[in-house]
Amino acid sequence: MKKILVANWKMNPNSRDEAEALAGAVCAYAKNKEVEILLAPPFVYLDTVSRVFLATGSQMKLCAQNVFWETQGAFTGEVSPTMLRSEGVSHVILGHSERRKWLGETDVVVNKKIKSALGRDLNVILCVGEQKETRDKGLDVAKLYIKSQLQYALEGINTADISGLHLIVAYEPIWAIGTGMADKPEDTAEMSRYIKDTLGFMGLGQNFRVLYGGSVTSENAALFFAEKDIDGALVGRAGLNAEEFGKIIEIAQKF
Ligand code: PGA
């Protein structure tokens, strides 16, 4: 199965012109590659990026970085799943640790958002990840933490809710995000198997894909992709440099 690469642009770049140029450059690198590639720009650039995809005939998919759980109404500053669908968005990242940290998103909020997104035909990329203090106690302790994040985030969701859609989990140890200290690929692979098993035990089926996120670069990508249980990567900083992201695409294609 093709590897998945998601470029999470976070709150970048600074202007629409830059967003257009970045998307255009990535399209060129992505052309005819056997990799499933998603770009996740800020809301304000979704339309711009979507137009670039159309103009270049790109197969890349459009991903949002957040969504609200209601579909319409008096919710100042929020964007609904229905709006995202109408902009051509197919996937949404939910539960990212930066939203948990800066916006106070709780597991309850993440759960509401996942239900709403799946209910409106949006594929979900659910981010989970432990703090350094937890991981320092060992991988088994980290696993229990991840299990509880999955249980809270997916509470009340069953296979029928996911049917026809993709629920992808991104394992992103918080201490590895933006720090240059990526996880050990073999530890991520073990965590990935554990996440897949946990989803199985929760009665959600067997066909889940788990991505790794946290300081992925063209230097370390191959080590992660070589692990058969790691289905791809959620890339932050390296996704803002088209040439660097292009190298990661090239590497992903080999696996
Ligand atoms: P990073 O970010 O690649 O810059 O570490 C990953 C993420 O937060 O998704």
Side-chain angles (χ1 to χ4, degrees), residues 28-64:
Y29 285 111
K31 203 168 168 59
N32 300 326
K33 296 291 189 308
E34 288 296 307
V35 181
E36 189 176 338
I37 306 166
L38 282 70
L39 296 190
F43 286 143
V44 288
Y45 304 142
L46 284 170
D47 183 54
T48 301
V49 173
S50 155
R51 284 170 199 269
V52 172
F53 287 178
L54 266 173
T56 57
S58 178
Q59 297 299 306
M60 284 194 291
K61 294 180 182 138
L62 202 53
C63 180

Side-chain angles (χ1 to χ4, degrees), residues 73-101:
F75 305 102
T76 303
E78 293 301 328
V79 171
S80 78
T82 330
M83 291 171 186
L84 293 181
R85 291 292 304 165
S86 82
E87 285 295 310
V89 170
S90 59
H91 291 65
V92 60
I93 297 170
L94 290 172
H96 193 283
S97 61
E98 286 154 12
R99 294 201 58 84
R100 295 181 195 253
K101 177 179 175 192

Side-chain angles (χ1 to χ4, degrees), residues 153-175:
L154 299 172
E155 153 91 31
I157 292 167
N158 56 46
T159 43
D161 300 317
I162 304 169
S163 156
L165 291 166
H166 299 290
L167 175 65
I168 299 162
V169 176
Y171 171 58
E172 299 206 300
I174 294 171
W175 46 271

Side-chain angles (χ1 to χ4, degrees), residues 8 10 96 98 172 176-178 214-216 234-237:
N8 175 12
K10 308 192 180 184
H96 193 283
E98 286 154 12
E172 299 206 300
I177 297 177
S215 301
V216 172
L234 180 48
V235 182
R237 193 180 312 176

